[in-house]
Amino acid sequence: MFARLDSMEESLRAMGIPPVLVIVGVMFLSVLTIASGIGMWMGTRWGWWLAAFYYVYGVLRNASALYTVVSMADQLEGTARGPEFYMIKHSVRIVIQSLLLMYFFKGNVLDYFDLSTLKKGKALGILVGICGTIGAALTALTMIFG
């Protein structure tokens, strides 16, 4: 992706996305993925929280992408893949990430991470709230630097 960033810069700027924001986002997700993997391997609470955040973020990110594809479907008609490809792609991702997230809230998984007393609704609310805050911050940064 970094090798192609120059060729993507014009398209990103046309959408109002600063290329530096893409780099920061990719680095953030990379560090998050590695850290959550280490934390989960060790069976730590923070590992569970990071991984759960990653899946909530993934569901919301793909839902946003699906909304964008649906709203731009007429512009995607006649392209190599068409809007149907992207609708299916993001829908499948939402289903898979939702199923993985549901698994994280199973009793035996919560027991493993010493989170058996965790209130599931509150935890999900916290995760969605954090994702919403990050989304709002990214939108603000895009408006400032875009």
Side-chain angles (χ1 to χ4, degrees), residues 57-73:
Y57 177 76
V59 168
L60 296 177
R61 183 183 70 231
N62 282 292
S64 174
L66 183 60
Y67 173 77
T68 302
V69 169
V70 169
S71 66
M72 295 177 55

Side-chain angles (χ1 to χ4, degrees), residues 16-35:
I17 301 171
V20 70
L21 199 57
V22 173
I23 293 170
V24 169
V26 169
M27 296 304 291
F28 170 73
L29 289 175
S30 299
V31 170
L32 176 68
T33 303
I34 292 167

Side-chain angles (χ1 to χ4, degrees), residues 5-58:
L5 193 59
D6 287 341
S7 64
M8 294 171 24
E9 185 172 357
E10 184 178 330
S11 299
L12 289 169
R13 291 208 183 274
M15 292 186 297
I17 301 171
V20 70
L21 199 57
V22 173
I23 293 170
V24 169
V26 169
M27 296 304 291
F28 170 73
L29 289 175
S30 299
V31 170
L32 176 68
T33 303
I34 292 167
S36 67
I38 292 169
M40 286 180 19
W41 186 18
M42 295 169 40
T44 63
R45 289 179 179 202
W46 59 265
W48 182 92
W49 279 101
L50 288 178
F53 165 79
Y54 180 81
Y55 289 117
V56 168
Y57 177 76

Side-chain angles (χ1 to χ4, degrees), residues 62-137:
N62 282 292
S64 174
L66 183 60
Y67 173 77
T68 302
V69 169
V70 169
S71 66
M72 295 177 55
D74 56 331
Q75 296 172 1
L76 293 171
E77 285 294 338
T79 59
R81 293 190 171 156
E84 296 82 14
F85 170 81
Y86 297 103
M87 288 178 195
I88 292 169
K89 172 183 162 179
H90 293 294
S91 296
V92 168
R93 288 179 177 180
I94 290 168
V95 169
I96 291 170
Q97 290 172 334
S98 296
L99 290 171
L100 287 166
L101 186 62
M102 287 170 50
Y103 176 77
F104 270 53
F105 283 94
K106 284 183 65 176
N108 61 329
V109 175
L110 292 172
D111 288 343
Y112 177 77
F113 290 101
D114 197 25
L115 291 166
S116 56
T117 60
L118 182 71
K119 296 192 182 324
K120 296 173 185 176
K122 184 177 179 180
L124 194 56
I126 290 168
L127 293 166
V128 170
I130 292 170
C131 289
T133 302
I134 290 172

Side-chain angles (χ1 to χ4, degrees), residues 131-145:
C131 289
T133 302
I134 290 172
L138 290 175
T139 300
L141 287 173
T142 300
M143 293 172 88
I144 293 169
F145 297 109

